[in-house]
Amino acid sequence: MSWFYAFDLFGVAVFAITGALMAGRKSMDLFGVLVIAIITALGGGTLRDAILGNHPVSWIRNDVYILVASLAAVGTVLWVRLTRPINETGLLVADAFGLAVFTVIGTQVALNYGVPVSAAVIMGVMTGVAGGVMRDIICNEIPLIFHKEIYATACIIGSFTYIGLQALPLHEDVITAICIALVLAIRLAAIRWHLALPRFHLLDRNRSDQ
């Protein structure tokens, strides 16, 4: 099994865990947990493949993806029941792992299709964040990408770094590991120290005049 495939399955498992945890916070039944976990794990890659014309999408060609996502979701339910609930920090850390892995994989896939750098970065970011956005919207939450610490910015930096390192005489596995670690480090640092981009606050002129 190649490192690329192994990393892909790892990302699926981790994102499925975040989906299962979110479903648990919303007190969903097991079916709901599975649905949210699968959408979270496979949503970004599905959207990427649809845009790039990579048909059929990965989880239709290979049912291992559905199996891994389902097992990760069920395993999460059992773990939480047998031990204790995972807190908000646990959810964010798990999400950071999935974000890092999927960002690099999305960029890799896009470059294999010969798209421009800008499109490759967009595909990397989309692969990393789209599943989580779908998860949060379905669960009636404001997506992490829109209101939490640095999120998509970490994906953009990781994607550009991956593309830039292609010009160096480094093994592909080394480049992949470096970029995954970079995205993960940025995201975890943002969580730890609450790093965020400046926010845009639109003042109500009528209220300010009163």
Side-chain angles (χ1 to χ4, degrees):
M1 183 170 60
S2 68
W3 278 106
F4 180 88
Y5 185 51
F7 276 131
D8 201 10
L9 293 180
F10 174 76
V12 167
V14 172
F15 260 28
I17 291 171
T18 71
L21 292 174
M22 179 64 76
R25 291 177 58 196
K26 297 297 181 178
S27 300
M28 296 185 183
D29 61 18
L30 184 57
F31 178 75
V33 171
L34 287 172
V35 170
I36 298 301
I38 291 172
I39 288 175
T40 307
L42 303 177
T46 299
L47 187 58
R48 175 202 67 219
D49 288 347
I51 293 175
L52 291 175
N54 183 19
H55 300 299
V57 297
S58 58
W59 59 270
I60 293 179
R61 295 193 304 269
N62 185 355
D63 57 6
V64 171
Y65 289 97
I66 294 288
L67 178 61
V68 169
S70 300
L71 289 176
V74 173
T76 301
V77 172
L78 294 176
W79 176 265
V80 171
R81 284 185 176 275
L82 294 175
T83 57
R84 60 180 181 177
I86 299 177
N87 59 23
E88 179 73 13
T89 301
L91 175 61
L92 292 175
V93 171
D95 186 86
F97 275 103
L99 183 73
V101 171
F102 274 9
T103 296
V104 175
I105 288 177
T107 307
Q108 287 176 328
V109 171
L111 290 178
N112 289 339
Y113 272 80
V115 301
V117 170
S118 59
V121 172
I122 291 172
M123 291 299 104
V125 175
M126 180 184 298
T127 307
V129 307
V133 170
M134 296 177 192
R135 171 199 67 206
D136 293 341
I137 290 176
I138 294 174
C139 292
N140 198 30
E141 294 279 340
I142 299 175
L144 289 173
I145 186 176
F146 297 137
H147 76 106
K148 286 288 185 181
E149 300 88 355
I150 288 175
Y151 196 87
T153 305
C155 301
I156 295 172
I157 294 172
S159 186
F160 271 119
T161 301
Y162 177 84
I163 295 170
L165 290 178
Q166 296 295 315
L168 299 179
L170 295 175
H171 193 278
E172 182 66 24
D173 291 344
V174 175
I175 295 175
T176 299
I178 290 173
C179 295
I180 289 176
L182 176 62
V183 176
L184 180 60
I186 294 173
R187 180 66 186 127
L188 292 180
I191 295 172
R192 174 63 179 83
W193 291 292
H194 304 289
L195 305 178
L197 297 176
R199 296 193 178 190
F200 174 57
H201 297 282
L202 185 61
L203 298 177
D204 189 333
R205 176 172 293 183
N206 292 328
R207 286 190 176 183
S208 64
D209 292 339
Q210 291 178 357

